[in-house]
Amino acid sequence: MITYSAEDVKMPKIRKRDTSRWIKAVAASYGRKVGEIGYMFVNDEKMIEVNNEYLGHDYYTDIITFDYDEGDVLNGDLVISLDTVRTNAELFHKSYEDELNRVIIHGILHLCGINDKGPGEREIMEANENKALTLLKEMQG
């Protein structure tokens, strides 16, 4: 089950049923099933709190992924800062909706085992994000 909630921000306009179907399709393409996935949309202030408390980091980020996977079943909490998504959309000249979808699937790709911190990993992550975003456009037909 995939849940979506917001704290101190307005819930983004996402089609929850379509988004969940897309997430499940992406997970399946990596041989994974979706268990319990919880999305929490927050502001930058809350993101800094979460980043400090759980990771000891003192900087803004668009997403933090908490991984509770069990075998091939994806379980996790994904905290997304809508403020940073908006800032990054402007910075990279993307629409807010496209950037939000990229971040939503970025967390799922982390749960599927794709990293983006080591040498060459960011390019691999971006290629997988682009593949997933293409699938979303195809599913929206």
Side-chain angles (χ1 to χ4, degrees):
M1 187 167 116
I2 302 171
T3 58
Y4 304 89
S5 58
E7 183 178 313
D8 297 328
V9 293
K10 198 171 162 218
M11 178 65 82
K13 289 184 171 88
I14 53 174
R15 289 195 198 83
K16 292 178 188 158
R17 186 175 292 135
D18 291 346
T19 301
S20 295
R21 203 164 52 90
W22 172 51
I23 289 167
K24 289 174 182 172
V26 170
S29 75
Y30 292 92
R32 305 309 250 311
K33 291 188 213 69
V34 170
E36 298 290 324
I37 301 285
Y39 281 94
M40 169 69 78
F41 299 102
V42 301
N43 58 25
D44 273 351
E45 193 178 311
K46 180 66 177 176
M47 186 59 100
I48 281 282
E49 272 178 46
V50 172
N51 225 343
N52 270 322
E53 184 176 340
Y54 294 99
L55 301 175
H57 297 161
D58 192 24
Y59 54 80
Y60 297 111
T61 185
D62 49 5
I63 184 167
I64 297 175
T65 304
F66 295 96
D67 185 342
Y68 315 122
D69 287 359
E70 296 170 21
D72 66 349
V73 179
L74 303 183
N75 295 292
D77 289 322
L78 298 96
V79 183
I80 295 176
S81 170
L82 296 180
D83 293 338
T84 299
V85 167
R86 192 168 288 107
T87 300
N88 286 344
E90 290 169 14
L91 189 66
F92 300 121
H93 308 289
K94 302 281 185 197
S95 74
Y96 173 72
E97 183 183 3
D98 285 349
E99 187 63 18
L100 181 58
N101 284 327
R102 178 177 295 280
V103 174
I104 285 170
I105 212 62
H106 181 93
I108 296 299
L109 293 170
H110 271 309
L111 294 178
C112 289
I114 298 167
N115 296 311
D116 59 356
K117 297 286 186 248
E121 288 180 340
R122 178 169 296 285
E123 293 78 6
I124 292 167
M125 174 61 87
E126 284 178 16
N128 282 279
E129 288 170 353
N130 291 337
K131 193 170 89 176
L133 290 166
T134 298
L135 175 64
L136 176 61
K137 286 187 177 24
E138 288 168 1
M139 290 173 77
Q140 290 171 338

